[in-house]
């Protein structure tokens, strides 16, 4: 085991023994990889028989909520789905965030994930972090690491409600990461943040967004993160951001390779050596690979069922990953409690029926629970939220990777 430390350019190194637990769940901590996750939508506890009850009878509450603190960012990542850079014209105030968190607690929420843009470029980020704790909610932070320094590490380590921190890391090689992130030195800063936060006793995870330019970085990243008490979430860049070249989007063969890589890592390394999981946009229902995601089984998109996305100007989506075509309401128009309890909102999942499925998904045996996988992947690739070509089961069936006489969409 090689215990890596923060690069030497830091003014002083963050001290403290690493006491990061690699046995937590989610996008930043995979545990047994069957526990609720973070950075894609989190899930409530799975009920009897390992099956989450249907939305109409389940404990519907915003269990885990992703909050965009600001759209401002100190990087210009090519794959950024929200095309972050400048702040939105009228972002929520400190007081408005406090009201929002109090209402989330009232609705039975448990965890708030603050992200951006880059949350640490907002001057009152620390005060907003404390508001999350004051509302009785767990805090998760996602950062690119550029603004993380010794003082920021100390402040984070002093937050008792800080559950974990995710740091974006797109390559083991600096030139590839820096090119994707649009700024020289961003790779060094990300590594410094990861290892300094770890050494300060904060649970930390690396988050890798994959496109064609960094697909071959998977193995070098695995070697970098092995035995480092750092969890690893892998997600796929989606079509939609204004800086993303569609030719860099992974095709289905490359997408399936990602699943093969995660599956092989799980076979090769125990979870305490390399806790790795695909995000909510990677899967699902493979008959070859076994579980590759944050949960042992995929139970469908959680947007508007047990997760929620809040944009920095108060607009509401079922999930922040969703396209802006799916804005549901605005905190400045009425309370979050009223929005969440409105029976006419979040209908994609709350009023789902199998008759809405299209294409291969309409005949799929998993359709009733899968609901065409990640709705954003489906929408940005087909224009329909109920037909998703980026599905391991579908790829296996359509490409003949599994011999199955009754496979959906065809014989043999």
């Amino acid at each position: 085991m090689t215990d890596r430390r923060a690069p030497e350019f830091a003014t002083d190194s963050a001290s403290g023994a690493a006491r990061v637990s690699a046995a937590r769940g989610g996008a930043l901590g995979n545990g047994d990889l069957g526990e609720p996750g973070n950075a894609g939508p989190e899930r409530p506890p799975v009920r009897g028989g390992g099956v989450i009850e249907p939305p109409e009878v389940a404990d519907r509450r915003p269990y885990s909520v992703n909050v965009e603190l600001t759209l401002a960012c100190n990087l210009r990542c090519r794959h950024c789905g929200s095309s972050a850079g400048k702040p939105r014209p009228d972002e929520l105030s400190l007081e408005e965030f406090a009201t929002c968190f109090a209402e989330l607690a009232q609705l039975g929420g448990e965890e708030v994930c603050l992200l951006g843009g880059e949350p640490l470029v907002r001057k009152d980020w620390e005060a907003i972090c404390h508001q999350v704790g004051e509302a009785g909610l767990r805090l998760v932070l996602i950062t690119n690491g550029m603004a993380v320094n010794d003082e920021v590490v100390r402040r984070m380590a002093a937050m008792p409600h800080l559950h974990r921190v995710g740091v974006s890391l797109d390559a083991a090689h600096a030139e590839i990461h820096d090119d994707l992130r649009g700024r020289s030195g961003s790779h060094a800063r990300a590594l410094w943040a990861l290892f300094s936060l770890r050494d300060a006793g904060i649970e930390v995870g690396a988050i890798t967004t994959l496109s064609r330019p960094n697909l071959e970085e998977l193995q070098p990243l695995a070697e970098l993160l092995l035995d480092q008490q750092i969890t690893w979430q892998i997600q796929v860049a989606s079509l939609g951001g204004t800086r993303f070249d569609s030719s860099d989007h992974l095709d289905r063969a490359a997408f399936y390779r990602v699943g093969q890589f995660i599956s092989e890592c799980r076979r090769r390394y125990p979870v305490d050596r390399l806790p790795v999981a695909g995000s909510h946009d990677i899967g699902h229902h493979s008959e070859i690979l076994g579980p590759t995601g944050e949960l042992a089984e995929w139970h469908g998109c959680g947007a508007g069922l047990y997760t929620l996305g809040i944009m920095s100007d108060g607009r509401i989506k079922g999930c922040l990953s969703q396209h802006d075509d799916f804005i549901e309401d605005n905190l400045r128009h009425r309370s979050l409690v009223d929005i969440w309890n409105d029976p006419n909102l979040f209908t994609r999942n709350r009023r789902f029926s199998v008759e809405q499925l299209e294409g291969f998904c309409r005949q799929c045996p998993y359709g009733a629970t899968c609901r065409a996988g990640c709705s954003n992947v489906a929408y940005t690739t087909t224009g329909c939220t109920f037909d998703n070509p980026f599905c391991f089961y579908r790829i296996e069936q359509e490409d003949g990777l599994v011999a199955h006489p009754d496979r959906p969409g065809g014989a043999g």
Side-chain angles (χ1 to χ4, degrees), residues 336-352:
L336 187 60
V337 172
D338 288 344
I339 293 171
W340 180 260
N341 290 327
D342 190 330
N344 297 313
L345 298 182
F346 311 106
T347 57
R348 191 268 181 189
N349 288 328
R350 292 185 180 184
R351 295 185 183 178
F352 170 77

Side-chain angles (χ1 to χ4, degrees), residues 50-70:
V51 177
I52 292 180
E53 293 179 324
E56 61 270 16
V57 295
D59 178 21
R60 185 186 298 163
R61 58 192 174 98
Y63 176 85
S64 178
V65 178
N66 288 347
V67 178
E68 179 191 81
L69 210 56
T70 179

Side-chain angles (χ1 to χ4, degrees), residues 5 44 47 76 132 153 156 164 196 203 220 237 258 277 299 387:
R5 298 293 170 182
R47 299 191 178 192
R76 295 295 183 272
V132 173
V153 171
M156 288 185 182
R164 54 194 183 269
S196 296
E203 184 174 338
V258 177
H299 297 285
D387 182 18

Side-chain angles (χ1 to χ4, degrees), residues 104-345:
L104 281 174
Q106 181 183 340
L107 287 165
E110 295 189 15
E111 185 169 276
V112 169
C113 175
L114 299 181
L115 62 164
E118 169 52 44
L120 301 187
V121 303
R122 182 160 168 154
K123 293 181 179 179
D124 55 0
W125 70 268
E126 187 178 6
I128 295 173
C129 287
H130 285 297
Q131 287 179 339
V132 173
E134 289 163 4
L137 303 165
R138 294 193 306 268
L139 171 66
V140 177
L141 272 170
I142 309 293
T143 176
N144 59 37
M146 289 296 295
V148 177
N149 55 29
D150 293 300
E151 181 59 26
V152 167
V153 171
R154 280 191 285 268
R155 291 178 181 181
M156 288 185 182
M159 296 178 182
H161 58 290
L162 179 60
H163 199 51
R164 54 194 183 269
V165 178
V167 180
S168 302
L169 182 67
D170 290 336
H173 296 94
E175 63 274 14
I176 296 176
H177 177 100
D178 289 357
D179 180 60
L180 288 169
R181 294 272 160 181
R183 186 167 173 180
S184 178
S186 58
H187 182 262
R189 294 301 316 178
L191 287 181
W192 190 90
L194 274 168
F195 293 114
S196 296
L197 289 164
R198 180 202 64 180
D199 292 347
I202 298 170
E203 184 174 338
V204 65
I207 302 174
T208 300
T209 302
L210 287 176
S211 57
R212 283 193 177 277
N214 65 334
L215 183 60
E216 301 304 324
E217 286 294 296
L218 283 173
Q219 186 57 42
L221 278 167
E223 294 167 5
L224 173 69
L225 297 172
L226 183 65
D227 292 323
Q228 298 305 313
Q229 294 185 291
I230 293 174
T231 62
W232 188 18
Q233 176 191 283
I234 300 173
Q235 57 192 28
V236 175
S238 64
L239 297 166
T242 59
R243 294 190 290 266
F244 189 57
D245 186 336
S246 60
S247 66
D248 285 339
H249 188 251
L250 297 185
D251 61 19
R252 297 206 315 167
F255 176 79
Y256 195 79
R257 278 183 58 198
V258 177
Q260 291 174 312
F261 173 81
I262 295 172
S263 180
E264 178 59 27
C265 282
R266 289 184 169 190
R267 280 194 288 264
R268 182 177 299 178
Y269 304 113
V271 69
D272 60 341
R273 296 195 66 198
L274 186 66
V276 58
S279 186
H280 59 281
D281 57 357
I282 295 180
H284 310 283
H285 301 294
S286 171
E287 293 188 343
I288 298 175
L289 303 178
T292 57
E294 299 160 349
L295 293 173
E297 296 181 12
W298 170 254
H299 297 285
C301 171
L305 297 179
Y306 29 78
T307 190
L308 193 65
I310 301 174
M311 300 170 71
S312 60
D313 57 4
R315 287 180 291 169
I316 300 293
K317 304 178 187 179
C319 170
L320 272 186
S321 297
Q322 289 179 319
H323 194 277
D324 284 359
D325 289 350
F326 297 93
I327 302 292
E328 300 282 353
D329 212 314
N330 195 307
L331 289 177
R332 286 172 168 155
H333 298 162
R334 54 182 176 151
S335 74
L336 187 60
V337 172
D338 288 344
I339 293 171
W340 180 260
N341 290 327
D342 190 330
N344 297 313
L345 298 182

